[in-house]
Amino acid sequence: YRHDPNIDTNKNLVKFLREIDVDAPIDGSKAHNCGVLYISASYFLKERPKMSDSIPNQKEVTGASEPVFRYVIANMPNLEYIILAGHVAFDWVTEWLFIKGNKFSECRDNHRILETGKYKVLTSAHTSILGINNRPGNMSAVQDDWKIFREVMA
């Protein structure tokens, strides 16, 4: 993740948030009142220049990111929905929320809503070009996913 408005992954996130009627400009100008929290499952930046590089020490990063995630959601009393964008976020967060045993592609492709008792968890392709291209149906399918999220969240 990079805090850069020129990265396609970030532009796609803004576009998909619009699909659920969230006005979150890429410059962050409405971050304080857009109504959503958009975060990465990993709270660390990669040192490698390529965005598509894998995370070499995933177990360490997962372990260090979990307490931050738990703190954030514990301090959001009105949080109802969590959208997991990509298989890494899906794997990590479903484990952290104790809703393991689900397959990312099945949840993503079938719009399966996972419930924790407190949250409804929705699954999407990652907003990177690679994530979108790995989604059967590519960009149009991902846009349709987010339209369905809007209906579910209405």
Side-chain angles (χ1 to χ4, degrees):
Y1 177 78
R2 298 284 185 272
H3 305 281
D4 183 340
N6 297 313
I7 294 176
D8 288 338
T9 299
N10 298 342
K11 291 177 186 176
N12 288 333
L13 177 60
V14 169
K15 179 171 36 176
F16 297 140
L17 287 170
R18 283 190 197 119
E19 294 289 349
I20 59 171
D21 298 325
V22 171
D23 184 17
I26 202 160
D27 66 2
S29 59
K30 295 186 179 180
H32 64 286
N33 65 353
C34 70
V36 298
L37 172 69
Y38 42 98
I39 59 174
S40 177
S42 169
Y43 290 90
F44 298 92
L45 297 176
K46 295 178 193 173
E47 291 180 353
R48 297 176 175 164
K50 282 185 69 182
M51 292 294 290
S52 60
D53 282 343
S54 63
I55 301 169
N57 53 342
Q58 273 201 29
K59 227 173 189 32
E60 289 175 68
V61 172
T62 304
S65 295
E66 181 180 6
V68 178
F69 173 81
R70 290 197 180 284
Y71 176 83
V72 169
I73 65 170
N75 286 282
M76 296 183 70
N78 297 324
L79 181 63
E80 295 178 52
Y81 296 94
I82 298 172
I83 299 174
L84 303 176
H87 72 89
V88 173
F90 180 88
D91 292 346
W92 293 6
V93 175
T94 56
E95 181 176 324
W96 297 341
L97 294 175
F98 308 109
I99 49 176
K100 297 186 286 188
N102 295 283
K103 204 170 166 192
F104 168 71
S105 59
E106 289 176 11
C107 291
R108 178 199 61 200
D109 298 349
N110 298 307
H111 307 111
R112 185 179 314 150
I113 301 169
L114 303 176
E115 297 196 40
T116 68
K118 188 171 184 181
Y119 310 111
K120 291 179 176 60
V121 180
L122 309 168
T123 307
S124 171
H126 192 273
T127 60
S128 68
I129 296 303
L130 181 61
I132 291 167
N133 288 341
N134 283 332
R135 168 76 166 98
N138 304 105
M139 181 63 85
S140 63
V142 177
Q143 288 175 306
D144 289 345
D145 294 342
W146 284 76
K147 289 174 185 172
I148 289 169
F149 297 163
R150 181 181 60 220
E151 293 171 16
V152 167
M153 296 166 62

